[in-house]
């Protein structure tokens, strides 16, 4: 139950931490490793690194710290553009009684690559691949994906060749990444060639690979090829899941063939494939882009009965109503979100506060800004700057000073009552 609550309130900032602290004091209860990991990730998200490391020390004292603990921290640091801190985390593992292994090495490379620091990842890979670690398929796949996102197709091809030359057989994940890299580089026909090569070595294409192809054809407005690929997948005995259906829906939306979307949803229902929040977001984004806001709101309400919206779903709806000047409806969506016990992210707060500021609703904007800070979420500079200008314009420096003090307290003393 504690883990479930922490998962649901991972955007809850210091409120989530207060619950974490309260729970560990309860009789007969001890935090699990998973509970610690969720809380560490949540604290890192709001950059409360000192408290985060305090938890790691507690885990060490209890003998439950492991490789995954440090992997989480490395990912969070790189997302915050703290590359040196991520590398430090890898190097300090020994001091916590954990010997860095290939899994930890791969985690560091993955964290760097996902944060667009693939050159640093390659540098570390070159320095350690012979003396400390023997790369496996996952190692090469991480670098392959990193260079694909750079984007640097020649370097990605080089990594793939090195992998094969060293006798490391590409697996289904590696092939999937290579197909994705080629598709994003506009080489979809070459990607199809890779899929054919897979068949020759007895490696059956996965749903993910078909999803990438369908999605790419959709982006290229090649709806016929997208549909044919989807049908080929079914002919080859690969069961369609929600991701490939989402790609097909996205392809139809891209070419404004919205009438086909209900048919796809009906087929999903017949085959027992449940839509997810991504399904909702693809449809909403298409309708909003076309200016069909009433239909978008209707779809949002219908889809809520089928699957739970995510942060993007709520944010899109709130932004749509704010952009249309319908603040009452934006606030209604916000209220629904709260009744679902869904903790808004910094971006969701920012969208609503900016919308209120644009309409001169300064007092309401201040209320939500205060709520945001009290949840331990630090507002972005542009959002706070916009509200600051309006408060100065209205000669309400006292309110501005109040909010500034709240923010200072958030940074200096996050455990206020």
């Amino acid at each position: 139950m504690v883990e479930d609550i922490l998962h649901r309130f991972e955007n809850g900032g210091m409120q989530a931490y207060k619950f974490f602290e309260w729970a560990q004091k309860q009789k007969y209860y001890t935090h699990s490793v998973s509970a610690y990991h969720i809380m560490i990730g949540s604290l890192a998200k709001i950059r409360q690194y000192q408290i985060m490391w305090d938890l790691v020390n507690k885990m060490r004292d209890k003998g439950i710290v492991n490789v995954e603990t440090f992997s989480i921290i490395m990912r969070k640091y790189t997302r915050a553009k703290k590359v040196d801190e991520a590398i430090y985390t890898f190097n300090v593992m020994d001091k916590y009684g954990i010997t860095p292994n290939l899994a930890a090495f791969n985690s560091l490379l993955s964290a760097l690559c996902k944060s667009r620091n693939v050159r640093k990842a390659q540098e570390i890979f070159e320095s350690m691949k012979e003396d400390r670690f023997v790369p496996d398929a996952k190692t090469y796949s991480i670098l392959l994906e990193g260079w694909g996102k750079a984007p640097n197709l020649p370097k990605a091809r080089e990594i793939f060749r090195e992998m094969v030359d060293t006798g490391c057989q590409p697996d289904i994940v590696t092939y999937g990444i290579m197909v994705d890299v080629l598709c994003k580089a506009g080489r979809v026909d070459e990607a199809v060639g890779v899929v054919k090569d897979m068949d020759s070595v007895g490696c059956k294409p996965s749903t993910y690979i078909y999803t990438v192809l369908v999605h790419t054809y959709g982006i290229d407005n090649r709806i016929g090829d997208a549909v044919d690929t989807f049908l080929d997948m079914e002919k080859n005995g690969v069961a369609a899941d929600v991701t490939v259906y989402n790609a097909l829906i996205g392809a139809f939306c891209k070419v404004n063939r919205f009438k086909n979307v209900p048919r796809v949803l009906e087929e999903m229902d017949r085959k027992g494939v449940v839509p997810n929040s991504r399904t909702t977001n693809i449809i909403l984004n298409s309708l909003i882009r076309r200016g069909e806001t009433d239909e978008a709101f209707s779809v949002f309400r219908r889809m809520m009965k089928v699957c739970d919206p995510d942060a993007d779903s709520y944010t899109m709806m709130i932004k749509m109503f704010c952009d249309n000047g319908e603040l009452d409806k934006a606030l209604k969506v916000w209220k629904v979100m709260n009744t679902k016990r869904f903790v808004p992210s910094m971006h969701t707060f920012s969208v609503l506060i900016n919308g209120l500021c644009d309409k001169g609703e300064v007092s309401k904007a201040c209320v939500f800004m205060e709520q945001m800070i009290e949840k331990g979420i630090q507002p972005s500079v542009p959002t706070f700057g916009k509200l600051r200008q309006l408060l100065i314009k209205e000669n309400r420096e006292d309110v501005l000073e109040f909010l500034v003090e709240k923010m200072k307290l958030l940074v200096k003393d996050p455990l206020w009552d």
Side-chain angles (χ1 to χ4, degrees):
M1 182 174 66
V2 170
E3 289 175 14
D4 183 52
I5 290 171
L6 290 174
H7 265 304
R8 289 173 181 266
F9 289 87
E10 63 180 350
N11 290 327
M14 295 311 301
Q15 286 188 329
Y17 181 67
K18 286 181 180 180
F19 167 76
F20 181 87
E21 289 278 274
W22 171 85
Q24 71 178 1
K25 297 175 183 176
Q26 304 311 302
K27 196 173 182 180
Y28 307 123
Y29 173 78
T30 302
H31 280 312
S32 65
V33 174
S34 180
Y36 271 106
H37 285 173
I38 298 166
M39 196 65 247
I40 285 171
S42 182
L43 288 167
K45 188 178 290 188
I46 59 171
R47 304 194 179 195
Q48 292 290 348
Y49 300 121
Q50 183 58 57
I51 304 176
M52 176 190 75
W53 280 108
D54 288 344
L55 291 189
V56 177
N57 288 327
K58 288 181 181 178
M59 291 181 72
R60 176 179 57 184
D61 295 341
K62 293 181 177 182
I64 59 175
V65 68
N66 58 30
V67 170
E68 178 60 20
T69 310
F70 294 93
S71 296
I72 292 169
I73 296 171
M74 287 187 287
R75 287 197 298 270
K76 295 299 182 180
Y77 269 141
T78 54
R79 286 178 187 174
K81 302 186 185 303
K82 294 180 177 291
V83 174
D84 292 339
E85 287 83 347
I87 297 172
Y88 164 82
T89 301
F90 177 79
N91 291 330
V92 83
M93 289 175 65
D94 282 323
K95 294 182 180 179
Y96 285 82
I98 304 296
T99 302
N101 56 15
L102 183 59
F105 181 57
N106 287 342
S107 291
L108 175 61
L109 296 182
S110 178
L112 291 169
C113 287
K114 287 181 178 177
S115 61
R116 306 285 183 175
N117 287 286
V118 64
R119 294 186 184 279
K120 189 65 178 179
Q122 186 72 40
E123 178 186 319
I124 293 173
F125 170 76
E126 298 295 342
S127 67
M128 296 186 182
K129 69 177 179 180
E130 295 179 359
D131 298 334
R132 294 184 63 181
F133 305 104
V134 178
D136 61 2
K138 185 172 183 179
T139 314
Y140 283 110
S141 296
I142 290 166
L143 290 172
L144 182 63
E145 186 173 31
W147 284 115
K149 289 180 177 178
N152 190 326
L153 184 56
K155 192 66 179 178
R157 287 187 176 124
E158 181 185 320
I159 292 295
F160 190 79
R161 283 195 302 270
E162 179 182 330
M163 179 181 185
V164 175
D165 292 344
T166 55
C168 187
Q169 178 61 41
D171 57 16
I172 189 65
V173 175
T174 315
Y175 277 120
I177 293 171
M178 194 64 200
V179 168
D180 185 50
V181 169
L182 289 167
C183 284
K184 286 178 178 174
R187 304 297 185 91
V188 63
D189 294 329
E190 186 178 343
V192 172
V194 171
V195 174
K196 291 178 180 177
D197 290 340
M198 292 176 63
D199 288 331
S200 66
V201 296
C203 188
K204 190 176 183 179
S206 63
T207 310
Y208 170 76
I209 290 175
Y210 282 112
T211 300
V212 170
L213 292 173
V214 171
H215 175 72
T216 304
Y217 282 133
I219 291 175
D220 292 343
N221 293 322
R222 295 167 63 177
I223 190 64
D225 289 325
V227 173
D228 288 343
T229 301
F230 182 86
L231 296 176
D232 286 342
M233 178 190 68
E234 293 186 320
K235 289 177 184 176
N236 292 335
V238 180
D241 61 10
V242 66
T243 57
V244 72
Y245 273 118
N246 286 346
L248 187 60
I249 289 172
F252 281 126
C253 289
K254 182 69 166 54
V255 295
N256 292 319
R257 288 173 59 175
F258 201 79
K259 63 181 181 181
N260 294 84
V261 173
R263 298 175 188 173
V264 177
L265 293 173
E266 289 171 7
E267 181 178 328
M268 291 173 68
D269 186 53
R270 285 198 307 272
K271 294 187 176 181
V273 180
V274 181
N276 58 17
S277 58
R278 177 63 181 157
T279 317
T280 303
N281 295 345
I282 291 169
I283 299 172
L284 290 179
N285 187 57
S286 176
L287 290 170
I288 293 171
R289 190 176 66 248
R290 295 165 60 185
E292 299 181 28
T293 54
D294 290 340
E295 179 63 19
F297 191 36
S298 177
V299 168
F300 176 73
R301 287 182 294 180
R302 289 201 303 270
M303 294 298 285
M304 283 184 68
K305 299 175 183 178
V306 180
C307 59
D308 291 330
D310 63 7
D312 289 337
S313 312
Y314 287 115
T315 304
M316 272 196 287
M317 295 309 300
I318 291 170
K319 187 176 187 306
M320 180 187 79
F321 286 129
C322 285
D323 289 345
N324 289 347
E326 300 176 285
L327 293 181
D328 55 335
K329 291 184 178 179
L331 292 169
K332 184 177 180 181
V333 173
W334 184 275
K335 184 176 180 181
V336 170
M337 179 179 64
N338 285 325
T339 60
K340 295 288 184 180
R341 300 294 189 267
F342 194 97
V343 178
S345 66
M346 184 267 283
H347 184 52
T348 315
F349 266 112
S350 296
V351 165
L352 182 59
I353 292 170
N354 285 327
L356 291 167
C357 286
D358 289 340
K359 290 298 177 181
E361 296 284 354
V362 184
S363 296
K364 288 182 180 178
C366 288
V367 170
F368 287 105
M369 179 65 74
E370 184 180 359
Q371 287 181 16
M372 182 181 186
I373 297 171
E374 286 182 346
K375 288 183 183 295
I377 303 173
Q378 190 168 346
S380 67
V381 173
T383 300
F384 192 82
K386 180 179 285 190
L387 182 57
R388 177 179 177 276
Q389 287 181 348
L390 290 174
L391 287 171
I392 293 174
K393 185 178 179 180
E394 294 186 2
N395 296 317
R396 297 172 65 180
E397 283 83 357
D398 55 333
V399 178
L400 176 59
E401 185 179 351
F402 170 77
L403 292 174
V404 169
E405 288 302 316
K406 280 258 182 183
M407 286 179 61
K408 288 181 180 178
L409 197 57
L410 171 63
V411 176
K412 294 180 180 179
D413 185 13
L415 294 178
W416 79 87
D417 290 328

